[in-house]
Amino acid sequence: KTWLTTMKDESHSEDQQHSAISPLGHRFGLDRRAFFKVLDSGVVVGLSVKSGLSQESGKIPNPHSEEELPNSIAAWIHIAANGRVTVYTGKVEMGQNIRTSLSQQVAEELRVPLSAVHLVMGDTHLTPFDRGTFGSRTTPIMGSWLRSVASSARSLLIDMAAERWHTDRTSLLAKDGLITEPKTNRSISYGELTG
């Protein structure tokens, strides 16, 4: 027999097996295609679960509560003398690409290249407690938190440069890991300020 003839025989045998199965006693109103047509028209299905049942640990923490998170910039970000920015978070990468998204958010707020940001994740000896990685909360909660911390760090760096140069902080810009005074064209790196 040829390959094609064998395939036809197997297909015929399979059809016989399927026809031997007795049909169900009931019939659903929608087949698969009709079901997806209904979904495409905007049907929304919602489930309500008691808060204690929706997390393995019981009570759901308030994601907007900052009571347990350290308020010190130093707990979250370190800027080395060489300008390298180390960011600490208890979150862990589990395929959701948060290493990139969190680094991008810090880099944007600090006005440094992404390559300057190094993320330390889930090292309980080094990172502050930030409730762990669960429930798709890392980007909206930790991302916002790290943006806020990075923004505060940038503001502090501007203040440090203004104090060093005895100038008004509003005349200074942060860009590419430097604080610059456009009027005088002088600049100082973040690493020089934190060193």
Side-chain angles (χ1 to χ4, degrees):
K1 290 184 176 179
T2 68
W3 175 80
L4 184 58
T5 305
T6 303
M7 291 301 292
K8 285 181 180 176
D9 290 346
E10 287 176 8
S11 174
H12 179 69
S13 172
E14 193 173 304
D15 288 343
Q16 287 176 339
Q17 289 174 352
H18 284 281
S19 64
I21 299 172
S22 60
L24 295 173
H26 60 280
R27 176 107 174 117
F28 293 103
L30 295 176
D31 64 5
R32 182 177 54 87
R33 287 188 180 163
F35 175 74
F36 282 107
K37 284 180 184 177
V38 169
L39 282 183
D40 187 43
S41 66
V43 172
V44 177
V45 177
L47 298 175
S48 176
V49 179
K50 283 187 169 184
S51 64
L53 300 175
S54 61
Q55 292 291 325
E56 303 85 17
S57 60
K59 185 179 179 232
I60 299 174
N62 179 354
H64 302 291
S65 168
E66 298 168 359
E67 62 194 10
E68 298 174 23
L69 300 177
N71 287 320
S72 166
I73 293 172
W76 302 98
I77 294 178
H78 178 263
I79 302 173
N82 66 0
R84 181 176 175 154
V85 177
T86 304
V87 180
Y88 300 94
T89 179
K91 306 299 185 203
V92 293
E93 176 66 58
M94 297 188 308
Q96 72 276 48
N97 205 20
I98 60 172
R99 179 174 297 281
T100 301
S101 65
L102 295 178
S103 296
Q104 286 174 328
Q105 291 180 69
V106 170
E108 183 177 310
E109 284 299 329
L110 272 179
R111 313 293 198 266
V112 297
L114 184 58
S115 60
V117 178
H118 171 70
L119 206 60
V120 174
M121 303 178 82
D123 184 333
T124 57
H125 182 69
L126 299 174
T127 63
F129 174 73
D130 58 12
R131 297 188 199 105
T133 308
F134 64 92
S136 299
R137 306 308 303 155
T138 297
T139 300
I141 301 301
M142 187 50 51
S144 296
W145 182 259
L146 290 178
R147 282 185 78 101
S148 175
V149 171
S151 176
S152 296
R154 177 175 33 90
S155 182
L156 183 60
L157 290 163
I158 289 172
D159 288 343
M160 292 168 71
E163 185 178 319
R164 181 178 283 204
W165 292 334
H166 305 289
T167 189
D168 180 22
R169 75 177 313 279
T170 60
S171 67
L172 304 179
L173 299 173
K175 184 179 178 185
D176 296 327
L178 300 170
I179 304 295
T180 305
E181 185 177 34
K183 183 172 58 176
T184 62
N185 210 25
R186 62 182 164 180
S187 63
I188 188 168
S189 72
Y190 292 177
E192 290 175 86
L193 289 167
T194 62

